[in-house]
């Protein structure tokens, strides 16, 4: 299953790692070295790896990458959108690097630590050492290993007990790098730690200009008892980018995690989210909408692991696929033996706007407990002809009627977003996507 | 003046001929009722007039206000003033009723060269119609027809008709499934819309509705043909004798 590693993704690792933040600290050196070793062994996943059966990274593997993580200046002036919530905190990353000038974090209130990873490594090594690489286990996952090998830039958010961060913290990733037949890769690494009873809202926006970059981010989230995190991600990468985002979440008793990914950019995007419900009564609401046209591939792979009793999980995904685009949905729910009274639901619905569009859906339930309520459902189809005719029979032109139906369909997922401003903004982004296609 | 002129209309669905030569003339301001047993082709006629895909006209012509109706898209027909109140209004989850109503109204107004209504103007107009039709505000805030009761759905159809102010309204069994109170409300709504420049084609299975919406002409549709026409007394005759007598006599 190994692909050639001569594509530059690991080039000069030993030498370059010695210059990364925190080099010299035993734990971080070991972490990076371990990541590099594992990735060297695994390479990028091929379609022979079961969970990569539907998403082909061979074009990526054949690319030539510039040496990792050097300062890759933006070719053009980054266009950073204003924070969604006026004057809200915003951390900006340009081509994978934290950009202090473009960022506006303001002073963090008492009990909140919000820092770029490089600074966090210097300021709070203990916290990092105890969490990094623990939530996201390196074992099987080559992309996490690759990310760990280059662990240097990213964001760390820590909330002390019962602290609430009300305004969304925004992370903006702007990318445009790549030149002379070489692509740029970056591997942002984020750590979110919520102490008991803390709550926060995190918003990520992935944007930029063409340059064929490969963004491979890993986010580790640990929510202690009763803590809650809302995590929203807008993936609007330029059309030639490859975007792979891995999110690993561990929830203690009564903790909750709400996630929404709106995936509409990139030539290939994969959002893989794994949530472990570790403590009794934890809950996860993991949702998203994906849209594709041209030859885009958009992959959603989730794993919800009910490891404790009385936990709930729900997943609502909606996809709209046009032209030759392809959607992949792999959703797995595991209910362990002792996780009685688990409640786990999953739904993936896709609308295919063209004959050549395709969705590969693989829902899986793996249940080892007997007293559980679990369900999954996957559908794929076209827009409802009856509905379309009804709207047209009221004078609404066909393309507008289609638009109404597409928006309504997507809204079934977007409606799960509990943060009103984010919900409205995501709705606008979904509509904008549709309008770009002339529908 | 003739608003709608149907001549020898044949139409098929899924390769099966359902309408087998229909002739019908509707003048300005006239109310025509079409009655007929289940399966006689009443809904097929209404869908064919509204331009539904899959309802293929194989012979004959339909002229609406001097234009060939059959060449027009469904939305163009609606914009030109043809309105079909569906026998089974479609539930459309996720589309707020208000959004839909405003968009329908502005589409029609645009095609007629009238000014677009802004949210405020539209609301004023809608509220006035809601009041006339005894519809609670709450209904228009819900998703279009979604989870509406049978009576609510039919009232929603009449509301749309009131907003779009058609020249030709086709009501496909707007009475079916309604109790007597709901039937009265719907009939009152329809009667309020009677006008010298508005024609109606009222399709019904029972003559009951025609006690409230009194037609100028009554036609009996059977196996895809109009087998008898008459004035409103024909409806009463049907009620008395049942369909078998009349269709039997015609066959
Ligand atoms: N979509 C369809 N495909 C095939 N046959 C149909 C379809 N719709 C209606 N029919 C047939 O056409 C005939 C007339 O149906 P319809 O117009 O619905 O009658 P009515 O409205 O008078 O009850 C019936 O025999 C019915 O079975
Ligand atoms: Mg019918």
């Amino acid at each position: 299953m190994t692909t050639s590693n001569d594509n530059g993704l690991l080039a000069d690792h030993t030498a370059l790692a010695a210059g990364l933040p925190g080099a010299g600290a035993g734990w971080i050196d070991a972490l990076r070295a371990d990541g590099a070793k594992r990735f060297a062994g695994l390479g990028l996943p091929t379609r022979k790896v079961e969970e990569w059966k539907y998403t082909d990274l061979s074009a990526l593997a054949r690319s030539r990458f510039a040496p990792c993580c050097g300062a890759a200046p933006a070719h053009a002036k980054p266009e950073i959108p204003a924070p969604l919530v006026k004057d809200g905190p915003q951390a900006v990353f340009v081509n994978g690097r934290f950009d202090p000038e473009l960022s506006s974090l303001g002073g963090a209130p008492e009990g909140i630590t919000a820092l770029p990873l490089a600074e966090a490594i210097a300021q709070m090594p203990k916290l990092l050492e105890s969490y990094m690489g623990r939530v996201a286990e390196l074992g099987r996952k080559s992309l996490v290993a690759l990310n760990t090998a280059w662990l240097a830039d990213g964001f760390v958010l820590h909330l002390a007990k019962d602290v609430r961060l009300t305004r969304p913290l925004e992370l903006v990733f702007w990318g445009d790098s790549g030149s002379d037949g070489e692509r740029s890769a970056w591997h942002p690494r984020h750590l979110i730690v919520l102490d008991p009873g803390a709550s926060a809202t995190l918003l990520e926006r992935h944007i930029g200009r063409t340059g064929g970059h490969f963004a491979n981010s890993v986010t580790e989230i640990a929510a202690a008892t009763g803590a809650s995190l809302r995590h929203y991600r807008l993936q609007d990468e330029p059309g030639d980018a490859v975007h792979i985002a891995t999110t690993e979440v561990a929830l203690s008793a009564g903790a909750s995690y709400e996630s929404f990914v709106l995936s509409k950019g990139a030539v290939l995007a994969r959002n893989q989210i794994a949530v472990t419900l570790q403590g009794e009564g934890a809950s996860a609401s993991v949702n998203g909408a994906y849209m594709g046209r041209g030859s885009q591939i958009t992959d959603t792979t989730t794993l919800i692991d009910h490891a404790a009793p009385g936990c709930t999980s729900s997943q609502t995904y909606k996809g709209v696929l046009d032209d030759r685009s392809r959607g992949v949905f792999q959703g797995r729910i595991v209910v362990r033996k002792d996780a009685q009274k688990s409640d786990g639901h999953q739904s993936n619905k896709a609308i295919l706007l063209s004959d050549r569009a395709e969705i590969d859906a693989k829902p899986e339930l793996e249940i080892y407990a007997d007293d559980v309520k679990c369900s999954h459902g996957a559908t794929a189809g076209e827009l409802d002809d009856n509905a379309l005719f009804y709207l047209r029979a009221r004078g609404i032109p066909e393309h507008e009627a289609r638009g109404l139906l597409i928006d309504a369909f997507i809204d079934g997922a977007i409606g799960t977003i509990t943060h009103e401003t984010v919900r409205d903004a995501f709705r606008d982004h979904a509509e904008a996507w549709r309008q770009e296609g002339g529908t | 003046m003739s608003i709608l002129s149907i001549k020898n209309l044949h139409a098929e669905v899924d390769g099966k001929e359902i309408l087998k030569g229909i002739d019908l003339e509707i003048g300005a301001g006239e109310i025509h009722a079409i009655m007929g047993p289940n399966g006689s082709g009443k809904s097929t006629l209404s869908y064919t007039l509204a331009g539904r895909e899959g309802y293929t006209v194989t012979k004959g012509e339909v002229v609406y206000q001097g234009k060939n109706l059959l060449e027009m898209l469904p939305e163009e027909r609606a914009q030109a003033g043809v309105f079909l109140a569906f026998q089974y209004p479609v539930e459309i989850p996720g589309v707020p009723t208000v959004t839909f109503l405003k968009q329908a109204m502005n589409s029609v107004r645009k095609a007629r060269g009238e000014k677009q209504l802004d949210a405020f103007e539209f609301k004023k107009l809608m509220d006035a119609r809601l009041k006339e039709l005894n519809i609670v505000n709450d209904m228009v805030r819900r998703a279009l027809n979604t989870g509406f009761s049978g009576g609510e759905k039919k009232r929603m159809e009449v509301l749309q008709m009131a907003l779009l102010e058609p020249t030709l309204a086709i009501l496909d069994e707007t009475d079916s499934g309604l109790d007597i109170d709901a039937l009265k409300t719907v009939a009152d709504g329809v009667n309020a819309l009677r006008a010298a420049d508005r024609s109606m084609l009222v399709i019904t299975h029972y003559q009951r509705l025609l006690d409230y919406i009194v037609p100028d002409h009554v036609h009996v549709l059977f196996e895809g043909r109009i087998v008898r026409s008459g004035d409103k007394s024909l409806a009463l005759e049907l009620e008395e004798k049942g369909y078998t007598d009349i269709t039997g006599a015609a066959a």
Side-chain angles (χ1 to χ4, degrees):
Chain A
M1 69 166 79
T2 305
T3 55
S4 64
N5 274 331
D6 56 5
N7 50 26
L9 282 171
L10 264 189
D12 301 330
H13 183 263
T14 316
L16 290 172
L20 293 176
W27 69 274
I28 205 163
D29 287 346
L31 202 57
R32 286 179 183 139
D34 189 42
K37 191 172 133 233
R38 285 174 193 275
F39 183 73
L42 292 164
L44 288 172
T46 68
R47 297 183 60 192
K48 292 197 186 96
V49 178
E50 178 61 22
E51 54 191 85
W52 287 87
K53 199 163 103 186
Y54 300 111
T55 299
D56 187 359
L57 294 184
S58 59
L60 189 73
R62 282 193 306 272
S63 303
R64 187 71 229 154
F65 288 93
C68 181
C69 318
H75 293 182
K77 194 175 177 304
E79 292 153 16
I80 307 303
L84 203 57
V85 174
K86 202 168 175 304
D87 302 326
Q90 196 178 51
V92 176
F93 295 78
V94 175
N95 293 337
R97 308 295 306 254
F98 178 72
D99 188 321
E101 251 128 67
L102 293 173
S103 301
S104 51
L105 283 165
E110 183 75 21
I112 298 179
T113 313
L115 291 174
L117 179 60
E119 280 175 47
I121 288 172
Q123 289 186 24
M124 44 204 296
K126 284 252 144 43
L127 182 91
L128 265 59
E129 186 178 353
S130 52
Y131 284 99
M132 290 218 120
R134 312 265 164 135
V135 185
E137 40 97 24
L138 289 180
R140 299 169 301 136
K141 296 185 177 131
S142 70
L143 286 155
V144 174
L146 175 64
N147 176 286
T148 306
W150 296 112
L151 180 153
D153 242 315
F155 206 78
V156 175
L157 175 68
H158 174 226
L159 265 64
K161 188 167 181 295
D162 293 328
V163 169
R164 297 171 166 274
L165 182 57
T166 44
R167 283 187 303 187
L169 169 67
E170 269 190 43
L171 307 180
V172 178
F173 300 86
W174 201 89
D176 78 340
S177 188
S179 63
D180 308 329
E182 280 192 330
R183 304 176 70 164
S184 292
W186 46 81
H187 311 278
R189 180 66 168 247
H190 315 300
L191 176 66
I192 319 292
V193 178
L194 304 183
D195 287 353
S199 68
T201 303
L202 189 67
L203 170 66
E204 296 179 30
R205 301 199 218 187
H206 300 263
I207 51 179
R209 262 200 285 265
T210 51
H213 66 254
F214 168 35
N216 172 41
S217 72
V218 173
T219 307
E220 293 177 278
I221 297 168
T225 309
S228 69
L229 179 70
R230 296 191 286 191
H231 188 188
Y232 305 118
R233 186 180 280 142
L234 172 65
Q235 188 280 103
D236 194 11
E237 295 263 27
D240 58 356
V242 171
H243 175 99
I244 296 175
T246 306
T247 307
E248 303 253 1
V249 186
L251 301 177
S252 301
S256 66
Y257 176 66
E258 176 195 329
S259 157
F260 193 96
V261 179
L262 181 67
S263 183
K264 63 177 201 171
V267 64
L268 186 157
R270 168 147 157 151
N271 273 284
Q272 33 187 23
I273 301 178
V275 180
T276 308
L277 301 152
Q278 285 177 344
E280 194 160 349
S283 68
S285 173
V286 179
N287 314 300
Y290 50 91
M291 27 205 65
R293 62 169 62 99
S295 54
Q296 282 181 296
I297 294 172
T298 161
D299 174 331
T300 300
T301 297
T302 66
L303 166 62
I304 311 289
D305 184 354
H306 285 255
C311 296
T312 56
S313 70
S314 70
Q315 299 174 73
T316 303
Y317 281 88
K318 300 256 181 147
V320 179
L321 302 166
D322 203 351
D323 304 327
R324 282 163 296 128
S325 68
R326 205 153 60 77
V328 177
F329 181 82
Q330 308 182 99
R332 216 169 122 214
I333 301 176
V334 177
V335 180
R336 307 234 195 134
K337 196 161 149 278
D338 300 324
Q340 299 297 358
K341 308 268 183 222
S342 287
D343 199 326
H345 301 279
Q346 177 193 96
S347 148
N348 175 62
K349 294 186 175 154
I351 283 186
L352 307 176
L353 296 178
S354 122
D355 293 344
R356 292 170 304 164
E358 188 183 315
I359 172 83
D360 295 299
K362 194 173 106 182
E364 282 178 284
L365 290 180
E366 237 174 86
I367 301 176
Y368 303 103
D370 42 36
D371 185 13
V372 302
K373 269 191 267 171
C374 284
S375 69
H376 66 73
T379 61
E382 297 166 20
L383 285 178
D384 180 358
D385 276 343
N386 285 329
L388 204 54
F389 174 65
Y390 187 78
L391 298 175
R392 295 177 71 190
R394 295 298 176 255
I396 299 174
E398 183 179 3
H399 73 276
E400 285 180 34
R402 293 172 73 86
L404 270 175
L405 294 178
I406 292 170
D407 290 349
F409 173 75
I410 291 290
D411 215 46
I414 290 181
T416 62
I417 298 175
T418 60
H419 192 289
E420 198 178 331
T421 314
V422 174
R423 184 168 65 236
D424 291 346
F426 276 33
R427 197 173 272 147
D428 291 346
H429 277 285
E431 277 183 38
W433 175 87
R434 169 179 61 71
Q435 281 160 356
E436 281 157 27
T439 305
Chain B
M1 195 190 92
S2 171
I3 290 296
L4 185 74
S5 167
I6 302 178
K7 291 211 173 81
N8 192 29
L9 180 67
H10 291 248
E12 57 180 47
V13 183
D14 286 341
K16 182 177 153 204
E17 184 167 68
I18 310 289
L19 302 184
K20 299 169 181 166
I22 299 218
D23 292 284
L24 185 66
E25 292 283 333
I26 300 182
E30 290 177 0
I31 297 204
H32 289 239
I34 289 197
M35 303 184 67
N38 281 331
S40 56
K42 303 186 296 295
S43 293
T44 303
L45 175 62
S46 71
Y47 283 145
T48 305
L49 294 177
R52 183 169 201 148
E53 216 174 301
Y55 290 72
T56 317
V57 173
T58 50
K59 222 193 268 180
E61 61 170 44
V62 179
V63 176
Y64 168 73
Q65 289 190 312
K67 284 174 298 222
N68 179 355
L69 187 71
L70 302 176
E71 271 181 356
M72 297 159 76
L73 298 171
E75 54 267 42
E76 292 170 340
R77 300 180 195 203
Q79 290 159 2
V82 177
F83 180 90
L84 168 62
F86 283 59
Q87 181 174 2
Y88 303 108
V90 183
E91 300 200 0
I92 310 190
V95 175
T97 303
V98 192
T99 308
F100 157 75
L101 291 173
K102 180 159 168 273
Q103 197 156 340
M105 195 145 174
N106 276 334
S107 299
V108 168
R109 290 177 68 93
K110 191 172 165 196
R112 293 176 188 169
E114 295 163 9
K115 170 181 155 303
Q116 300 286 285
L117 299 178
D118 63 30
F120 181 75
E121 294 164 323
F122 171 74
K123 190 172 179 311
K124 235 176 96 181
L125 220 124
M126 184 182 68
D127 286 346
R129 297 285 178 275
L130 288 174
K131 223 170 150 199
E132 285 160 22
L133 292 167
N134 262 318
I135 299 179
V136 282
N137 259 316
D138 155 70
M139 217 161 107
V140 296
R141 280 194 221 108
R142 285 148 64 190
L144 182 54
N145 291 328
T146 308
F148 286 21
S149 71
E152 284 177 329
K153 282 181 183 162
K154 295 300 166 90
R155 262 183 293 162
M156 183 51 65
E157 294 295 288
V158 178
L159 170 68
Q160 292 173 32
M161 176 173 150
L163 287 170
L164 299 180
E165 302 181 324
T167 303
L168 172 68
I170 304 162
L171 308 178
D172 189 359
E173 296 206 28
T174 300
D175 52 335
S176 64
L178 298 187
D179 62 34
I180 195 74
D181 288 337
L183 180 78
K184 270 185 174 157
T185 323
V186 164
D188 286 348
V190 173
N191 281 327
L193 293 168
R194 287 183 86 147
D197 57 356
R198 179 166 299 132
S199 309
M200 295 190 193
L201 184 60
V202 180
I203 295 173
T204 182
H205 182 73
Y206 303 103
Q207 89 87 31
R208 192 176 66 155
L209 179 70
L210 305 180
D211 288 340
Y212 299 97
I213 306 174
V214 182
D216 302 305
H217 303 274
V218 175
H219 313 274
V220 179
L221 185 67
F222 182 65
E223 290 183 351
R225 284 189 191 88
I226 289 179
V227 294
R228 267 192 73 181
S229 295
D231 62 13
K232 63 183 183 213
S233 63
L234 178 57
L236 295 170
E237 190 187 331
L238 267 175
E239 170 85 345
E240 228 168 82
K241 299 185 180 163
Y243 280 112
T244 1
D245 257 33
I246 291 192
T247 53

